[in-house]
Amino acid sequence: MAELIVGIVVALLAVVLVLRTVRIIPQARASNVERLGRYLRTLEPGLNILIPFVDRPRQLIDLREQVISFEPRSVITEDNLVVDIDTVLYVQVTDPRAAAYEIANFEQAIEQLTVTTLRNVIGSLDLEKVLTSREHINSQLRGVLDEASGKWGIRVNRVELKAIDPPPSIKESMEKQMRADREKRAAILTAEGVRQARILTAEGDRQAAILRAEGQAKAIDTVFEAIHRNDPDPKLLAYQYLQMLPELAKGPGNTFWVIPSEVTAALQNVTKAFNGTNPEIPRE
């Protein structure tokens, strides 16, 4: 019985010894080893051998990129307006030794450094620039944080402002201004459309008038050429004038006509011609 107990105790000691000697580190993880309370080395992923009861491994450190999100913080702008800013950081541990021994809690340190830097950056900008300069703010934050956290073995890959919330009264004023701007742009576009329509209509009327005038001019030229080509005598012209008299009489207010002397002479010739050919009409 005693031998069995001793065997069990030896087996337990062997298991404990193996567990203390062999340490398996997962991929993208690291662990610092202290020997007699002093930093010795950093364990790499895979199988590692330690001296039991002498080497003491500390907790695992995640080497993957981590997302650190903070609660919205109130920041005062240059024009004395309080805005709530929600920030997200993407950080990665590059030096496990520095992350474990240079800073007690690197996440808390980065959060506080982000808040103070954000207040300095936002405090030099007015609200309008804060709302339209996110890339500028992100780059400034990243530069300051990366420089300060470098000695902690931390690399800040990206800084993003999730939300910038101005006070409710400022939001209401901004919405009113946006509505006024949209209505103004709509009125300008409507007026521009009306102006363009009027311009096009006037241009169309002008082109139509030009075409009508050109058509009338061509018609007059054609008639004039035809008249001169056929060489009409005054009798024919007087006869044509007599045919147009009823059309002239149809116009409103046509109670007085001026007959050219040439037409009068032609009419006299026509009358003489008719009197000379028709014996039933008495001659004067």
Side-chain angles (χ1 to χ4, degrees):
M1 187 65 181
E3 294 179 355
L4 180 61
I5 295 175
V6 171
I8 294 174
V9 171
V10 171
L12 291 176
L13 289 177
V15 171
V16 172
L17 185 62
V18 170
L19 293 177
R20 290 276 187 171
T21 303
V22 178
R23 178 58 58 97
I24 298 176
I25 304 299
Q27 184 65 35
R29 305 292 195 279
S31 178
N32 296 315
V33 176
E34 297 176 351
R35 177 171 292 178
L36 301 177
R38 186 174 181 178
Y39 171 78
L40 177 64
R41 61 191 176 98
T42 298
L43 301 181
E44 301 293 337
L47 181 65
N48 296 270
I49 304 299
L50 304 176
I51 299 177
F53 306 106
V54 176
D55 295 339
R56 177 176 173 268
R58 301 193 59 175
Q59 62 182 3
L60 294 177
I61 298 177
D62 196 338
L63 302 180
R64 297 171 297 179
E65 187 173 18
Q66 304 177 40
V67 180
I68 303 177
S69 179
F70 306 142
E71 293 294 330
R73 298 301 180 96
S74 297
V75 182
I76 301 176
T77 62
E78 186 181 19
D79 46 358
N80 295 324
L81 294 176
V82 179
V83 294
D84 294 332
I85 298 182
D86 193 0
T87 311
V88 177
L89 301 181
Y90 297 83
V91 301
Q92 187 175 11
V93 177
T94 58
D95 187 355
R97 178 184 178 281
Y101 296 105
E102 297 295 336
I103 189 72
N105 188 334
F106 69 87
E107 292 187 3
Q108 183 179 2
I110 291 177
E111 178 181 0
Q112 296 302 319
L113 183 59
T114 302
V115 172
T116 56
T117 306
L118 191 62
R119 286 174 178 171
N120 292 333
V121 174
I122 300 299
S124 61
L125 303 173
D126 56 21
L127 180 59
E128 183 176 358
K129 290 184 179 179
V130 170
L131 296 176
T132 58
S133 304
R134 291 199 178 193
E135 290 297 331
H136 173 68
I137 297 173
N138 291 341
S139 62
Q140 283 195 333
L141 282 175
R142 183 181 179 278
V144 174
L145 292 175
D146 197 22
E147 181 181 358
S149 61
K151 63 180 181 181
W152 303 334
I154 309 296
R155 182 176 66 243
V156 179
N157 295 327
R158 293 182 61 187
V159 179
E160 294 291 340
L161 301 182
K162 287 174 55 178
I164 301 176
D165 297 325
S169 59
I170 301 299
K171 283 185 179 180
E172 184 178 357
S173 299
M174 293 172 62
E175 291 176 356
K176 290 181 179 179
Q177 182 179 0
M178 292 175 62
R179 285 196 299 268
D181 290 340
R182 286 195 295 268
E183 293 174 356
K184 177 182 176 182
R185 288 195 296 269
I188 292 174
L189 291 176
T190 302
E192 183 67 20
V194 172
R195 188 178 73 88
Q196 290 293 336
R198 290 178 178 176
I199 291 174
L200 293 176
T201 302
E203 183 66 21
D205 294 341
R206 187 178 72 86
Q207 293 293 337
I210 292 174
L211 292 176
R212 285 195 298 269
E214 291 178 353
Q216 293 175 358
K218 289 181 179 179
I220 292 172
D221 290 340
T222 303
V223 174
F224 184 78
E225 291 177 0
I227 291 173
H228 281 274
R229 184 170 58 251
N230 297 323
D231 192 17
D233 57 1
K235 297 177 182 180
L236 178 60
L237 294 177
Y239 178 71
Q240 292 291 332
Y241 186 79
L242 288 174
Q243 287 183 334
M244 289 299 299
L245 287 178
E247 297 295 331
L248 294 174
K250 292 180 182 179
N254 292 337
T255 58
F256 178 75
W257 303 324
V258 177
I259 300 176
S261 59
E262 293 81 0
V263 177
T264 305
L267 290 175
Q268 291 176 357
N269 294 328
V270 171
T271 303
K272 292 178 181 180
F274 280 111
N275 289 336
T277 57
N278 190 357
E280 295 180 359
I281 298 176
R283 295 182 181 179
E284 295 181 356

